[in-house]
Amino acid sequence: MNNLMKAPQRLAKRMLPFQQKGVAQALLDALPFFAIPADAIEVLPDPAAFRQALLQAIAQATRRILIVALYLQDDDGGREVLDALYAARTKNPALQISVFVDWHRAQRGLIGKQKSEGNAGMYREYDKRLGPGVLIYGVPVQNRELFGVLHLKGVIIDDTVLYSGASFNDVYLAKQGRYRLDRYHRLQHRELADAMAEFLRRHFVEGEAVRRLNVPEVPTTRSLYPAIRTFRQDLDQARYDVPHDVLGDTDVAVTPLLGFGRVDNVLNDVLLALLRGARRRVILLTPYFNLPRPVRLVLGQLLRRGCEIHIMVGDKTANDFYIPPPQPFRTIGLLPYLYENNLRRFARAHRKQIASGQLNVYLWRDGDNSYHLKGLFVDDDVAVITGNNLNPRAWALDLENGLLLRDPAHRLKAKHEAEWTALKQHAVRLSSDFALESPRSYPAEVRKNLKRLNRTRLDRLVNRIM
């Protein structure tokens, strides 16, 4: 009944995706926040520093360790994290340790590899060998992985929040000579950590659909269908519990935001409101150039208003789906080329702004490493730290979150400028759409499959779900 009553509102949001500027600003002004001292917020420079901070925090934990990620992989990097968790539990048997990963992703092998029981097999092997105490949960956001996954991020260790869009494996943790670059922030604040931990307890641990993976008997996904439906209804109404603090001269206003579903999605609404309210400059980071239509339209409005826009995206060879031509082709390897075609169309539509320097598109590449950055900087006083890829899948299917940082006193400006400067060291500004590789130069297998997708218009579907 509630869904039926909300139908006109939902329809209006779909038809009129943009709020008036005053309404958008009112949304931002009404957001509650934690007042966190600026010196309690730290930007970590690279994957190695993130890995070191994570392992050190785990070793020093006294009360709780809560980890949320898409996956914790069965490789050296993932096992190093699990070893650290079990060692911390042995040292302090009263320590609360819970890990939350996507239910579907944990129970399958890697794409293109032989069928296996996935990372869950490692979880059960550790539990059998080292005993109980580390609780590993699978979170089923949807009945099937294709239609939505757990993309919530964050590590809560005692009163510290380590936030990154990274998952946990060799490449994210820079274990085997290669790395996948993300953003890494450490916030020291008990109330923020408590709020994020309470969300996990209330909506995950107490949820009927969220089940342990490191136990001998795991229920089938089909048997959980009714519970997953109830879980999704719960997530539609879920929010972080955030107070209305008073901001001091040296404080930053930090608001944790949840994003789920096509409508009434707080994270999406805030991202659009921030973009609409930009006065001078926007920096947008995304690993896959596949922007949701509302974001593309707002960027067009900003360009017409004269706002300066910087977009950093990974070069197609820095995409985690990229398959170098000597390796056997797999269908998943089409994605980097689809994203490059999206970028080509965008750059072609904005040639004038690129030529004038109003629009700056940067392609990131560093050897055979990959790029996984997400987030926003708006003017000099707002930043968003998030795992949201800013693509249609994140906008409508996955369960996302993020931290909104509002900094009216510019206490974080130097840190953000340093982060942006460091990112540009491995990035090249796109001079025009002609600077991208011509589709005629793509490998033959790629050209053949792209033509097939274009002819059947399946490329549009792929852009909506990947």
Side-chain angles (χ1 to χ4, degrees):
M1 179 64 70
N2 286 340
N3 287 337
L4 288 175
M5 293 174 65
K6 289 184 177 181
Q9 177 187 357
R10 291 172 182 265
L11 180 61
K13 281 195 172 187
R14 294 293 297 274
M15 296 177 65
L16 301 171
F18 305 111
Q19 300 161 322
Q20 294 296 320
K21 186 175 180 181
V23 176
Q25 188 59 48
L27 167 67
L28 297 176
D29 292 342
L31 286 175
F33 61 84
F34 295 98
I36 299 181
D39 58 8
I41 302 173
E42 182 181 1
V43 181
L44 303 178
D46 53 41
F50 174 66
R51 172 172 160 263
Q52 181 180 5
L54 173 68
L55 295 176
Q56 183 178 20
I58 290 173
Q60 296 175 351
T62 60
R63 295 186 294 114
R64 64 185 174 194
I65 300 173
L66 306 173
I67 295 177
V68 193
L70 176 61
Y71 58 83
L72 191 155
Q73 189 73 31
D74 183 5
D75 61 12
D76 289 346
R79 285 178 176 268
E80 183 176 42
V81 174
L82 265 186
D83 287 340
L85 294 175
Y86 276 93
R89 174 72 180 187
T90 300
K91 177 182 175 182
N92 180 5
L95 192 61
Q96 174 198 356
I97 304 178
S98 298
V99 179
F100 302 89
V101 295
D102 182 71
W103 169 265
H104 302 286
R105 177 68 173 78
Q107 298 184 84
R108 66 162 173 82
L110 297 174
I111 294 175
K113 304 296 183 181
Q114 64 183 13
K115 190 174 182 179
S116 75
E117 59 182 351
N119 299 322
M122 175 183 68
Y123 307 155
R124 288 189 281 272
E125 183 269 324
Y126 265 76
D127 187 81
K128 183 178 179 180
R129 176 165 52 89
L130 299 177
V134 175
L135 310 181
I136 303 181
Y137 296 89
V139 182
V141 171
Q142 181 53 281
N143 293 340
R144 303 179 71 176
E145 182 180 359
L146 181 65
F147 301 120
V149 298
L150 172 73
H151 217 244
L152 210 73
K153 302 296 168 68
V155 176
I156 302 130
I157 301 180
D158 292 338
D159 298 336
T160 298
V161 175
L162 278 170
Y163 192 97
S164 174
S167 290
F168 299 96
N169 67 359
D170 285 346
V171 68
Y172 277 117
L173 298 174
K175 283 285 292 181
Q176 303 292 343
R178 293 179 60 246
Y179 68 85
R180 181 167 297 149
L181 188 67
D182 213 290
R183 301 176 69 201
Y184 319 94
H185 291 77
R186 178 163 52 194
L187 298 91
Q188 307 275 0
H189 194 260
R190 179 168 186 167
E191 287 76 16
L192 173 64
D194 285 347
M196 297 181 75
E198 174 61 16
F199 175 89
L200 298 176
R201 184 197 65 78
R202 188 167 66 248
H203 297 287
F204 287 5
V205 176
E206 295 184 356
E208 184 67 21
V210 178
R211 299 298 184 93
R212 289 274 303 280
L213 290 167
N214 58 340
V215 292
E217 298 294 329
V218 177
T220 65
T221 302
R222 181 174 292 277
S223 71
L224 294 177
Y225 280 178
I228 293 173
R229 188 180 307 113
T230 301
F231 181 50
R232 289 176 58 82
Q233 292 169 353
D234 175 59
L235 291 176
D236 277 334
Q237 308 299 321
R239 301 290 186 270
Y240 290 103
D241 188 9
V242 184
H244 288 270
D245 276 357
V246 177
L247 200 65
D249 291 341
T250 61
D251 294 337
V252 175
V254 178
T255 305
L257 300 166
L258 193 74
F260 184 66
R262 296 180 184 277
V263 294
D264 298 326
N265 184 312
V266 177
L267 180 58
N268 289 359
D269 291 344
V270 168
L271 290 171
L272 285 177
L274 291 172
L275 289 171
R276 287 190 59 84
R279 303 179 303 276
R280 184 179 60 85
R281 183 183 73 165
V282 168
I283 298 173
L284 185 150
L285 309 170
T286 178
Y288 317 119
F289 195 84
N290 186 20
L291 298 176
R293 182 175 178 271
V295 174
R296 283 188 283 111
L297 292 177
V298 170
L299 291 179
Q301 293 176 349
L302 292 177
L303 288 171
R304 289 191 291 274
R305 270 179 23 206
C307 191
E308 186 179 294
I309 294 178
H310 303 262
I311 299 174
M312 184 175 285
V313 64
D315 181 88
K316 69 173 177 292
T317 61
N319 188 294
D320 45 346
F321 296 111
Y322 179 72
I323 302 173
Q327 296 183 17
F329 175 80
R330 302 194 306 273
T331 304
I332 196 71
L334 285 176
L335 289 177
Y337 298 93
L338 280 171
Y339 298 144
E340 185 172 74
N341 284 337
N342 293 342
L343 180 59
R344 181 181 291 105
R345 286 191 289 270
F346 181 82
R348 184 184 302 134
H350 298 291
R351 281 177 182 169
K352 181 179 178 181
Q353 291 90 345
I354 290 176
S356 70
Q358 184 192 2
L359 173 61
N360 299 279
V361 178
Y362 298 90
L363 298 179
W364 187 96
R365 182 177 182 181
D366 180 22
D368 62 348
N369 300 299
S370 51
Y371 174 96
H372 199 245
L373 274 71
K374 314 96 182 286
L376 280 180
F377 298 98
V378 179
D379 298 321
D380 293 324
D381 53 5
V382 175
V384 177
I385 309 166
T386 184
N388 189 309
N389 289 318
L390 292 174
N391 62 0
R393 182 181 181 89
W395 211 252
L397 300 178
D398 296 338
L399 175 61
E400 305 278 357
N401 70 346
L403 299 177
L404 169 63
L405 279 58
R406 287 174 286 176
D407 179 28
H410 297 175
R411 299 291 181 178
L412 297 179
K413 181 179 177 181
K415 295 177 183 179
H416 291 158
E417 290 292 348
E419 183 183 8
W420 177 231
T421 299
L423 291 176
K424 288 191 291 185
Q425 289 180 0
H426 294 294
V428 175
R429 182 182 182 274
L430 188 70
S431 58
S432 76
D433 56 293
F434 295 112
L436 295 168
E437 182 182 9
S438 169
R440 291 190 294 271
S441 301
Y442 289 170
E445 195 73 18
V446 172
R447 295 199 307 272
K448 180 179 73 174
N449 281 276
L450 285 178
K451 286 181 180 178
R452 183 179 303 161
L453 286 178
N454 291 336
R455 186 171 60 249
T456 58
R457 297 196 172 186
L458 284 175
D459 56 331
R460 300 184 183 186
L461 175 63
V462 172
N463 272 323
R464 289 178 63 86
I465 63 176
M466 297 297 290

